[in-house]
Amino acid sequence: MAGTLNDASSSAIELLPARQQRPILEITALHKRFGAVEVLRDVSLAVTPGEVVVVIGPSGSGKTTLLRCINLLEEYESGTIAIDGEPIGYRIEAETGRRLRMREREIAAARARIGMVFQSYNLFPHMNVLQNIVAAPVRVRGILRRQAEARARELLAMVGLSDKVAEYPIRLSGGQQQRVAIARALAMDPKIMLFDEITSALTPSSSARCWRQSSSSRATA
């Protein structure tokens, strides 16, 4: 790939049969560069609900950058990204064809529909496992704390960490932290899930368990 992710068709391996319905995620002609380096070149892809797609490439080829562009953690130079038919980040002005950046409130609302598990997990070190999972549903979605805690316990059971509710991230292994991060992302009931190096710290059995839960009703990349 010569340092760039420029052929989505050869980089995406579909693990579940595509369904004939509107894409939950649609990317068209995406371009992203860092200075003189063009990291993403004309990337287009579509993911349908319930579909699992894996992007494969060497280190530095743009996999993480692609995921970060989807929820606008990275700005991109051109192209469009839509979640469930709604654009994220930018709108195209019908009269002029100009690309206009959306308001921050609109971008934040769109991000709330996207779950992401980072390579470094990014758990809050001053919060225990339960607090890490319930923080966003309570503060962002306005869910009652008792309901958020009940859902958090369900998710922890699904990833095999029911006994770690009161533990702090520093006392967890890498694989345990990663499973907490997965549960935290799922607690927001996102339309899509983005995983950056999802199986890097998981055993085969825990990896399979997490994939089944995350792909049960949403698109996963």
Side-chain angles (χ1 to χ4, degrees):
M1 280 188 280
T4 64
L5 182 59
N6 57 12
D7 186 355
S9 61
S10 65
S11 301
I13 300 176
E14 298 181 3
L15 301 182
L16 294 178
R19 298 168 185 167
Q20 300 302 315
Q21 52 188 303
R22 185 176 75 178
I24 192 72
L25 168 65
E26 190 166 18
I27 301 175
T28 305
L30 185 68
H31 287 259
K32 167 67 181 177
R33 65 170 62 245
F34 292 103
V37 179
E38 190 174 34
V39 180
L40 303 177
R41 184 189 309 136
D42 196 25
V43 174
S44 297
L45 60 87
V47 183
T48 54
E51 186 178 5
V52 177
V53 174
V54 177
V55 180
I56 298 175
S59 178
S61 63
K63 303 183 300 297
T64 296
T65 299
L66 175 61
L67 296 184
R68 290 174 63 86
C69 284
I70 291 173
N71 54 17
L72 211 66
L73 293 178
E74 289 287 353
E75 300 281 349
Y76 48 92
E77 279 69 39
S78 62
T80 60
I81 299 175
I83 304 295
D84 200 16
E86 293 293 325
I88 179 171
Y90 300 91
R91 296 186 186 277
I92 304 300
E93 192 176 52
E95 294 79 7
T96 65
R98 290 189 306 163
R99 194 176 67 134
L100 302 177
R101 199 178 195 280
M102 297 166 64
R103 292 177 298 179
E104 290 302 322
R105 179 174 295 182
E106 294 176 298
I107 294 172
R111 284 190 182 126
R113 297 178 293 158
I114 304 170
M116 184 164 180
V117 180
F118 299 87
Q119 285 190 42
S120 56
Y121 319 136
N122 290 354
L123 298 178
F124 300 119
H126 63 291
M127 295 182 179
N128 64 29
V129 166
L130 186 65
Q131 292 167 337
N132 260 281
I133 297 174
V134 304
V138 170
R139 297 180 185 180
V140 177
R141 296 190 59 196
I143 295 175
L144 294 176
R145 180 168 293 276
R146 64 176 180 275
Q147 294 177 345
E149 289 184 354
R151 178 57 175 158
R153 292 178 188 277
E154 290 177 2
L155 291 169
L156 286 171
M158 290 175 183
V159 298
L161 292 176
S162 295
D163 59 335
K164 302 298 182 182
V165 171
E167 292 287 1
Y168 284 81
I170 196 172
R171 295 178 58 86
L172 302 177
S173 69
Q176 290 170 336
Q177 289 185 41
Q178 192 166 25
R179 281 183 279 164
V180 172
I182 292 170
R184 182 176 65 176
L186 290 171
M188 287 290 285
D189 194 25
K191 287 183 176 291
I192 66 170
M193 283 287 293
L194 308 176
F195 294 98
D196 198 354
E197 302 288 351
I198 176 57
T199 60
S200 62
L202 300 180
T203 63
S205 60
S206 60
S207 176
R209 183 190 300 118
C210 292
W211 273 115
R212 283 195 299 271
Q213 172 59 20
S214 64
S215 62
S216 60
S217 61
R218 55 188 60 81
T220 308

